[in-house]
């Protein structure tokens, strides 16, 4: 449904829920008339299962958008199906790059080598923007501890014409891990193999002990962000310490 005065709504929502817990923020976001029609966007990555579980408890039929870039690790694809089944998620929508656009711009699957930003735009940003067209806003798993632009991350923010909800904004890394342990949630199999942050296979390497958790993402490149998160409608680049 069309909603007006997004900036005012963001201010009102942040004021109303500033002292609430992550679960309370998520629960209210799913029922508050000011938030509109929402979806959860999930990478089914290293920490994603915590928020996915929280959603499954509150509304397992909430649409969940999963971007299959067609360059993901096989383990991620298997994990996505296993988690969706285990949590009984009723509306997981797997998004793919546009076939004609792939043929025209990356028919050999090598665009990531010469233009990683262009590859992410083709395989992630563009499919997501198309899918978000039917929603008033989206829920993310971003957190303040991930650093960069996220250090002051609020529960609610404006993303162009869309509302963005960040229920885990104030969680620490330990909070995420504790929640996963307490709820006996399955871990992404690549985490145990040295991948604390997981993206597409060609652009993700293992991380050595002592390295930043995101050191393996686009290693040896200036690129640090895939581009699906925006401020005022523009892609924000954040330091290598930031998360998905």
């Amino acid at each position: 449904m069309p909603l007006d005065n997004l900036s005012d709504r963001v201010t009102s929502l942040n004021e109303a829920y500033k002292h609430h817990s992550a679960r309370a923020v998520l629960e209210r976001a799913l029922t508050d008339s000011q938030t509109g029609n929402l979806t959860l966007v999930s990478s089914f990555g290293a920490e994603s299962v915590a928020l996915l579980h929280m959603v499954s408890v509150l509304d397992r039929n909430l649409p969940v958008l999963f971007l299959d870039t067609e360059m993901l690790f096989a383990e991620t694809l298997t994990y996505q199906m296993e988690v969706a089944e285990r949590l009984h998620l009723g509306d997981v929508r797997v998004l793919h790059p546009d076939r004609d656009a792939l043929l025209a711009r990356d028919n050999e699957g090598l665009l990531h080598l010469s233009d990683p930003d262009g590859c992410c735009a083709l395989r992630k940003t563009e499919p997501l923007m198309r899918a978000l067209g039917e929603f008033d806003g989206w829920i993310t798993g971003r957190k303040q501890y991930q650093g960069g632009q996220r250090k002051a991350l609020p529960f609610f923010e404006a993303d162009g014409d869309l509302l963005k909800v960040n229920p885990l904004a104030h969680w620490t890394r330990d909070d995420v891990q504790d929640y996963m342990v307490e709820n006996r949630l399955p871990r992404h199999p690549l985490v145990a193999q040295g991948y604390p942050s997981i993206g597409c296979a060609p652009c993700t390497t293992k991380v050595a002990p002592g390295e930043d958790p995101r050191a393996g993402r686009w290693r040896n490149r200036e690129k640090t962000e895939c581009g699906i998160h925006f401020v005022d409608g523009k892609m924000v680049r954040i330091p290598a310490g930031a998360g998905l």
Side-chain angles (χ1 to χ4, degrees):
M1 66 180 179
L3 298 170
D4 298 324
N5 303 316
L6 178 56
S7 179
D8 290 342
R9 285 192 288 120
V10 165
T11 299
S12 175
L13 287 164
N14 278 319
E15 180 62 27
Y17 301 128
K18 63 182 178 182
H19 298 305
H20 284 57
S21 67
R23 176 175 170 138
V25 168
L26 179 60
E27 185 172 11
R28 297 299 181 87
L30 295 177
T31 57
D32 195 312
S33 61
Q34 292 192 81
T35 61
N37 184 28
L38 298 178
T39 181
L40 169 65
V41 178
S42 179
S43 67
F44 285 79
E47 296 181 341
S48 300
V49 72
L51 184 56
L52 287 164
H53 177 267
M54 200 175 294
V55 163
S56 76
V57 172
L58 296 172
D59 181 4
R60 63 182 50 172
N61 291 315
L62 180 78
V64 176
L65 305 183
F66 169 63
L67 286 158
D68 180 359
T69 65
E70 302 184 6
M71 285 193 166
L72 298 176
F73 288 93
E75 289 89 344
T76 297
L77 298 175
T78 300
Y79 182 66
Q80 181 270 312
M81 292 186 288
E82 291 176 348
V83 168
E85 181 177 0
R86 176 163 174 172
L87 299 183
H88 304 290
L89 300 174
D91 190 7
V92 177
R93 306 180 186 183
V94 181
L95 310 181
H96 295 274
D98 180 79
R99 307 314 303 174
D100 291 337
L102 274 181
L103 181 62
R105 293 154 57 186
D106 193 18
N107 65 318
E108 295 182 345
L110 299 175
L111 183 61
H112 64 280
L113 296 176
S114 61
D115 183 8
D117 283 340
C119 186
C120 284
L122 172 64
R123 297 176 180 274
K124 292 184 179 180
T125 311
E126 293 170 17
L128 178 59
M129 292 303 105
R130 288 193 294 270
L132 287 175
E134 66 178 276
F135 299 101
D136 299 309
W138 51 306
I139 302 165
T140 87
R142 296 182 305 155
K143 309 160 194 74
Q144 291 180 354
Y145 78 76
Q146 293 167 329
Q149 295 284 339
R150 306 182 189 191
K151 288 181 179 179
L153 187 70
F155 284 132
F156 301 90
E157 59 182 332
D159 180 1
D161 296 329
L162 296 174
L163 175 71
K164 188 180 288 184
V165 185
N166 311 300
L168 305 186
H170 302 299
W171 273 22
T172 66
R173 192 182 304 277
D174 286 342
D175 289 332
V176 177
Q177 298 305 314
D178 288 346
Y179 185 92
M180 292 170 68
V181 170
E182 290 169 5
N183 291 282
R184 300 180 180 179
L185 299 177
R187 306 296 181 116
H188 194 300
L190 289 179
V191 172
Q193 298 179 36
Y195 295 89
S197 180
I198 304 158
C200 292
C203 297
T204 306
T205 63
K206 292 184 179 182
V207 173
E211 282 191 299
D212 184 276
R214 277 181 65 90
R217 303 292 296 278
W218 302 288
R219 189 180 288 278
N220 300 321
R221 292 181 178 270
E222 294 183 2
K223 182 176 176 63
T224 59
E225 179 75 22
C226 67
I228 66 171
H229 293 295
F230 295 79
V231 172
D232 296 329
K234 298 179 180 179
M235 186 176 81
V236 174
R237 292 198 175 280
I238 56 179
L244 289 168

